[in-house]
Amino acid sequence: MKIGIVLYPTYGGSGVLATELGKALARKGHQIHFITYSQPVRLGSFRENIFYHEVAISNYPLFDYQPYETELTSKLVDVVKYEKLDLLHVHYAIPHASAAYLAKQILLAQGINIPFITTLHGTDITLVGKDKSFEPVITFCINQSDAVTAVSESLKEDTYYHFDTHRPIEVIPNFVSICPDNKPVNMEFRRKYANDDERILCHASNFRPVKRVEDVVRVFYEVHKEIPSKLLLIGDGPDRHNVERLCRDLGTCNRVITVGKIRDTANLMKISDLFLLPSETESFGLAALEAMSVGVPVVSSNTGGIPEVNKQGFSGYLSNVGDIEDMAQNAIKILSDHSILNQFKQQAKTQSKLFDIDKILPQYEALYQEVVEKSKKSFTEKYGDFGM
Ligand code: GMT
């Protein structure tokens, strides 16, 4: 199948997921066309069956704000038409779903049929999308998409709650590629960050207020009082200054290592003993799943879709949002005893296997097949075999 994937090419979960999905589909022989404004960061060097179409952003001086959505729509029209795509799969509703809808209408006027699937990722529904300035457009696009998927049951429920839609939404959870079980931790690499008798706690995010990264530092502070540890912070964003200030206030700067935005998070996660995700809200928590897949247990909040991923007392523990003390106690429970820690590490990996890419990818492929066939059928019924 020839599939156009529209995504944010950055470090955010939706972009990571969409890129990994495209790469996996390409490996299975599908032709994948990524359509976005810069090379997706997770694309790496794998290129067979993969094409990248850059959406150029104009800088005409009349515009205080560049019309990205219009440029994206034109690019979609062009790529669908000349690459003869079968399907568009857009990740994150704003503004990808409305661009896909408009491209579909433009192509329809030219006798070309292109169905589109919208995958909802989280903040496009729970934070940004439900805002009155976006809501009517998002509602319309959800209703007009040929299919809609959500990355968790929780996000599906949130969508029905916030938007005026009753259309079916299929839950296809995020996935991860499971590393072979037998690769040991690279101790030489680990020693660059911590001594052998220290535990490593880790967090990865875009440092937005919704992630509550200051809670990460506070939990770490409590844990370190009892267990010698280091904290690895992966990523960057608006709250980084607050986090650094808090580290100074608590006197933990020499124990907190902020590595910034990095491409390959798996190596750092692998040397960690615990992943912290205290988010205010989280549709899924892909970073936590990535940590679990390399055998790292998770201490998290119990909000949104996180309980669908992190299982209480098995892959880690869950606490109420903002309950630093409970999170710290749970972290100490896992980290204080070697055999308990090893048990949680194994269980975290076992839990992550529920989201193995080999289980999830066929769900997307089945949906693609169904959408393309259904759309072809209704187009032919309306316009005949040769379009309008
Ligand atoms: O908040 C982020 O990490 C970014 C955001 C995105 O769209 O890139 O993440 C959302 O989508 C991820 C992939 O489906 C989910 O794993 C995250 O839970 C979700 N973030 C929130 O709901 C806050």
Side-chain angles (χ1 to χ4, degrees):
M1 209 177 268
K2 292 182 173 185
I3 304 155
I5 294 185
V6 182
L7 72 161
Y8 283 108
T10 54
Y11 292 88
S14 65
V16 167
L17 196 280
T19 309
E20 296 296 345
L21 174 64
K23 282 158 63 177
L25 289 164
R27 283 198 185 94
K28 287 187 85 173
H30 297 281
Q31 196 183 94
I32 301 302
H33 295 261
F34 287 110
I35 306 162
T36 183
Y37 56 84
S38 71
Q39 285 268 350
V41 289
R42 279 284 185 102
L43 199 50
S45 53
F46 179 74
R47 280 292 187 277
E48 206 182 334
N49 294 332
I50 289 184
F51 301 85
Y52 164 62
H53 305 268
E54 189 153 307
V55 181
I57 305 176
S58 70
N59 57 1
Y60 191 62
L62 175 68
F63 302 134
D64 277 342
Y65 304 99
Q66 303 309 321
Y68 177 67
E69 190 171 346
T70 308
E71 312 230 20
L72 172 62
T73 305
S74 295
K75 183 59 94 178
L76 293 181
V77 169
D78 192 74
V79 177
V80 169
K81 203 165 158 180
Y82 294 105
E83 299 291 348
K84 304 205 179 328
L85 300 191
D86 299 302
L87 176 76
L88 285 174
H89 185 178
V90 305
H91 291 261
Y92 207 88
I94 310 164
H96 299 156
S98 39
Y101 171 78
L102 186 55
K104 180 178 167 136
Q105 298 312 310
I106 293 168
L107 287 159
L108 189 60
Q110 300 176 24
I112 297 167
N113 176 41
I114 184 77
F116 73 100
I117 297 175
T118 301
T119 289
L120 307 172
H121 277 274
T123 48
D124 46 353
I125 294 299
T126 54
L127 286 185
V128 195
K130 71 175 192 205
D131 189 278
K132 280 191 173 39
S133 55
F134 290 111
E135 182 279 323
V137 179
I138 304 298
T139 304
F140 179 79
C141 292
I142 288 173
N143 289 327
Q144 293 297 321
S145 300
D146 292 274
V148 177
T149 74
V151 299
S152 63
E153 290 291 342
S154 155
L155 184 60
K156 175 177 165 176
E157 293 315 313
D158 279 340
T159 308
Y160 288 134
Y161 182 76
H162 291 299
F163 296 88
D164 185 16
T165 182
H166 302 285
R167 64 152 309 140
I169 296 175
E170 186 168 340
V171 174
I172 303 186
N174 287 334
F175 57 77
V176 75
S177 298
I178 310 286
C179 305
D181 281 313
N182 43 11
K183 272 198 191 159
V185 172
N186 179 343
M187 289 307 287
E188 208 178 309
F189 180 59
R190 192 186 189 277
R191 284 183 196 119
K192 293 186 196 304
Y193 298 93
N195 298 327
D196 290 3
D197 60 352
E198 290 173 321
R199 301 292 193 214
I200 298 182
L201 288 79
C202 169
H203 169 80
S205 77
N206 51 20
F207 283 53
R208 298 207 168 266
V210 68
K211 301 292 176 181
R212 298 182 68 102
V213 189
E214 285 172 72
D215 285 7
V216 170
V217 175
R218 288 186 197 283
V219 170
F220 169 73
Y221 179 69
E222 294 304 320
V223 172
H224 179 63
K225 281 183 195 166
E226 308 245 341
I227 301 170
S229 344
K230 290 277 177 61
L231 174 63
L232 271 178
L233 293 176
I234 305 172
D236 209 331
D239 268 355
R240 168 127 179 217
H241 289 298
N242 296 336
V243 166
E244 283 172 347
R245 193 167 342 118
L246 181 62
C247 290
R248 277 175 222 135
D249 291 349
L250 295 174
T252 55
C253 293
N254 60 342
R255 312 226 124 246
V256 178
I257 304 152
T258 314
V259 296
K261 290 181 184 174
I262 51 163
R263 210 170 285 243
D264 181 15
T265 51
N267 278 338
L268 283 178
M269 285 182 175
K270 203 165 174 184
I271 59 164
S272 305
D273 299 295
L274 189 71
F275 188 82
L276 297 174
L277 190 69
S279 305
E280 184 80 37
T281 172
E282 198 74 59
S283 70
F284 186 89
L286 184 59
L289 176 62
E290 290 188 324
M292 285 157 55
S293 74
V294 292
V296 179
V298 174
V299 161
S300 68
S301 50
N302 55 12
T303 184
I306 300 180
E308 294 172 46
V309 182
N310 184 22
K311 284 288 162 241
Q312 175 77 353
F314 187 70
S315 54
Y317 286 104
L318 300 98
S319 313
N320 291 334
V321 173
D323 194 340
I324 312 282
E325 206 183 305
D326 196 52
M327 290 183 199
Q329 282 313 313
N330 287 335
I332 291 166
K333 236 187 273 176
I334 294 176
L335 294 173
S336 54
D337 181 289
H338 215 77
S339 65
I340 293 178
L341 176 59
N342 279 339
Q343 187 187 339
F344 269 92
K345 283 187 171 190
Q346 278 167 28
Q347 289 170 181
K349 184 137 193 169
T350 303
Q351 173 70 6
S352 75
K353 288 179 183 165
L354 296 176
F355 303 92
D356 189 348
I357 190 167
D358 293 342
K359 290 197 175 91
I360 310 296
L361 198 64
Q363 297 180 39
Y364 275 116
E365 286 182 291
L367 181 68
Y368 291 169
Q369 198 65 40
E370 184 191 319
V371 164
V372 167
E373 277 167 18
K374 211 165 140 192
S375 159
K376 249 185 207 153
K377 192 164 171 263
S378 72
F379 185 80
T380 312
E381 277 166 12
K382 247 183 174 165
Y383 304 111
D385 278 341
F386 302 104
M388 287 195 296

